[in-house]
Amino acid sequence: MNDGRMEKIVSLAKRRGFVYQGSEIYGGLAGTWDYGPLGVELKNNVKQLWWRMFVQDRDDMFGVDAAILMNAEVWKASGHVDGFQDPLVECKKCKRRFRADQVGENCPECSGDFGEVRQFNMMFQTQVGATDGEGTVSYLRPETAGGIFVNFKNVVDSFHPKLPFGVAQIGKAFRNEIAPRDFVFRSREFEQMEVEYFVSEGEWESAFEMWRQNVHAFNEAVGISPGSVHELEVPDGDRAHYSKRTIDFEFDFPFGRKELYGLAYRTDFDLTAHAAASRVDLSYLDDSTSERFVPHVIEPSFGVDRTVLAILSSAYTEDELGGETRTYLKFNKNVAPIKAAVFPLLKNKPELVAKAREVYLALKKLTPQIMWDDNGNIGKRYRRQDEIGTPVCITIDFDTLGENPDLIDTVTLRDRDTGEQERVAIPDLFSRI
Ligand code: ATP
């Protein structure tokens, strides 16, 4: 398993501007990562696709974008203040800290003895306003779900949706992980894409099944290898006490099989708890039966950063092309940060550059994710584009200008995966990208 693949992915991600270490010039800050120019495009593509699939293309879904700072009562009611903790152990000798459930009897660094296990709350606490004191404590949200539950009544009052319906949110979440590790897999600041899908109790199983399939459909849409995703039915004793069914979707990361997403049936636990704590009625009135009840919830929870890592892991390929070894990212078109690169064959021929510029600008109107490259020879440009996963490269040459009259206004289209080249008329490029 440890074939150096992870190191190669991390190094490519840094070299080519996908992901950098957070605060790098100051020596970093553990558990934080900065997305570079290509990483942010990749990540935005993932989020836009998710939003499109699960909000905009459906008529039973509503989006929200709630504040990261919330009233501390939210996290008391949800159980996070009392229960969102991991077991922490400290080595008596080297003072390093570990998650007790992730290490053996002794310190993996110096073999020292551990002290007592104590519970460590993973929420980042902060103060709101200029005064210190109980009333001003707040937390950076540890999950986006809280912002959805507190807006349940707002969405119902504004839109009067019929059950079943869902509310979705994409945004940052923060957890003071004891041991951040494995690149962006476990970080202290990350992004989630979550849905709370509200149902009447009798509908939970069909809704759960629908979301189970949706998770696989999303994986396919972003190009995560289906053979690398495994469902783990979480057994009774391991689930949260209120959850009647949970599936972890695990992915074969280069460092092992680990959770990518979660899908949970949370019963009516959250709305009931928030209604009790806020003293606001969060029940739902079914017009057709005049019945009033608290809806139950199915929660699919997707991590954006783990999605990016699963995509990078699925796409990372080493092969041989034209007798040379190459490294490339076999991104699905939907998520590729650059959809096509446009080259003038030579950069010192103004007529080639002008024509290439024309093609480049026309394609950019179709999608802005088009790159211009006129540096070095064509072979080098192909290499660079392969390494960042650009599906096709387009070269404007003298035939495009009419040197061979039969080929006027055609370009060379080169495919990333096969390296094959074909001659394509400029107007036909639009349907190819
Ligand atoms: P784990 O067991 O790996 O800590 P979890 O079960 O606590 O994860 P959830 O609370 O179910 O995770 O969070 C939902 C999703 O958010 C996860 O499936 C994952 O995609 C993402 N996620 C959770 N914690 C992190 C983290 N520290 N860094 C990056 N993504 C995370």
Side-chain angles (χ1 to χ4, degrees):
M1 195 179 301
N2 191 9
D3 54 359
R5 196 174 159 83
M6 193 60 207
E7 290 71 17
K8 288 181 191 168
I9 292 172
V10 174
S11 139
L12 188 153
K14 176 177 160 64
R15 193 171 66 249
R16 302 310 316 271
F18 284 91
V19 183
Y20 307 120
Q21 191 188 358
S23 312
E24 190 178 3
I25 63 166
Y26 286 95
L29 175 67
T32 65
W33 298 94
D34 295 344
Y35 285 79
L38 292 179
V40 68
E41 294 298 329
L42 171 60
K43 191 156 91 136
N44 282 343
N45 290 344
V46 166
K47 292 192 281 182
Q48 277 161 14
L49 211 106
W50 189 92
W51 196 256
R52 179 88 204 252
M53 236 171 129
F54 296 143
V55 181
Q56 295 170 332
D57 280 353
R58 300 176 57 121
D59 45 25
D60 59 347
M61 292 291 301
F62 300 84
V64 294
D65 184 13
I68 287 174
L69 292 173
M70 301 184 76
N71 189 311
E73 297 300 320
V74 172
W75 306 112
K76 287 185 190 155
S78 65
H80 284 82
V81 170
D82 290 333
F84 194 57
Q85 44 207 18
D86 273 343
L88 171 84
V89 283
E90 189 176 287
C91 171
K92 287 182 184 165
K93 206 163 126 197
C94 72
K95 306 288 176 210
R96 283 195 179 87
R97 292 172 164 192
F98 302 91
R99 239 174 84 171
D101 57 340
Q102 288 178 349
V103 284
E105 300 272 291
N106 291 93
C107 175
E109 299 288 337
C110 74
S111 308
D113 289 336
F114 286 133
E116 293 279 288
V117 176
R118 60 189 177 88
Q119 294 300 323
F120 173 77
N121 192 296
M122 296 208 290
M123 283 199 294
F124 284 99
Q125 212 184 76
T126 187
Q127 300 285 328
V128 175
T131 50
D132 289 343
E134 231 332 83
T136 58
V137 165
S138 185
Y139 302 94
L140 300 185
R141 66 181 177 204
E143 57 180 33
T144 60
I148 298 181
F149 289 120
V150 301
N151 281 295
F152 169 79
K153 185 170 158 37
N154 285 332
V155 172
V156 169
D157 290 348
S158 305
F159 297 93
H160 308 287
K162 296 263 165 292
L163 284 183
F165 69 90
V167 180
Q169 171 161 238
I170 299 180
K172 291 266 182 163
F174 303 82
R175 297 183 186 179
N176 200 359
E177 297 277 357
I178 295 169
R181 60 166 73 170
D182 297 324
F183 197 32
V184 297
F185 176 82
R186 186 175 303 287
S187 37
R188 291 183 168 137
E189 173 174 344
F190 55 97
E191 238 173 322
Q192 291 183 316
M193 308 180 281
E194 294 194 298
V195 170
E196 304 302 331
Y197 197 71
F198 300 102
V199 298
S200 62
E201 189 174 0
E203 292 169 311
W204 83 264
E205 279 167 305
S206 55
F208 192 97
E209 178 56 23
M210 183 256 291
W211 283 102
R212 192 178 71 79
Q213 287 171 19
N214 282 344
V215 169
H216 291 296
F218 178 73
N219 283 341
E220 196 182 321
V222 295
I224 291 176
S225 328
S228 306
V229 178
H230 311 273
E231 290 186 11
L232 176 80
E233 191 76 51
V234 180
D236 279 353
D238 295 351
R239 283 194 308 266
H241 62 92
Y242 47 78
S243 174
K244 293 222 176 117
R245 189 178 177 196
T246 300
I247 291 179
D248 284 350
F249 293 81
E250 298 188 317
F251 177 79
D252 294 322
F253 289 100
F255 44 85
R257 187 173 290 182
K258 296 273 170 65
E259 175 176 331
L260 174 63
Y261 309 134
L263 173 63
Y265 168 40
R266 299 178 60 94
T267 65
D268 58 357
F269 169 80
D270 304 273
L271 287 181
T272 303
H274 287 301
S278 65
R279 298 203 196 84
V280 172
D281 182 5
L282 298 179
S283 64
Y284 169 89
L285 176 67
D286 185 335
D287 286 340
S288 56
T289 60
S290 300
E291 232 188 308
R292 192 171 263 291
F293 57 91
V294 175
H296 283 227
V297 161
I298 305 295
E299 179 191 73
S301 180
F302 300 71
V304 177
D305 313 83
R306 289 189 190 177
T307 308
V308 166
L309 186 53
I311 291 172
L312 284 171
S313 310
S314 301
Y316 185 89
T317 314
E318 290 172 356
D319 71 356
E320 208 170 277
L321 191 69
E324 282 184 62
T325 52
R326 68 162 177 165
T327 297
Y328 73 109
L329 292 173
K330 204 172 180 169
F331 284 141
N332 180 303
K333 258 194 203 175
N334 291 336
V335 297
I338 304 295
K339 308 294 184 221
V342 179
F343 315 149
L345 181 66
L346 301 168
K347 75 166 165 188
N348 58 359
K349 295 282 179 233
E351 59 283 26
L352 281 180
V353 173
K355 187 72 187 173
R357 208 73 205 160
E358 208 180 279
V359 172
Y360 167 73
L361 291 174
L363 291 176
K364 244 178 137 50
K365 282 196 186 126
L366 182 73
T367 162
Q369 293 175 326
I370 306 287
M371 190 182 268
W372 173 265
D373 193 356
D374 57 9
N375 246 316
N377 65 40
I378 293 285
K380 285 214 178 93
R381 296 180 205 168
Y382 286 157
R383 275 306 153 82
R384 276 200 295 271
Q385 294 301 328
D386 287 350
E387 228 192 358
I388 62 171
T390 306
V392 292
C393 293
I394 294 159
T395 306
I396 282 74
D397 57 20
F398 292 105
D399 286 341
T400 316
L401 302 179
E403 197 170 275
N404 176 348
D406 289 347
L407 295 179
I408 189 163
D409 281 334
T410 65
V411 296
T412 302
L413 186 84
R414 184 260 190 188
D415 180 88
R416 172 195 66 201
D417 300 345
T418 60
E420 271 164 27
Q421 303 182 10
E422 57 180 311
R423 208 68 203 178
V424 174
I426 291 171
D428 294 340
L429 285 176
F430 298 91
S431 61
R432 300 290 296 271
I433 282 163

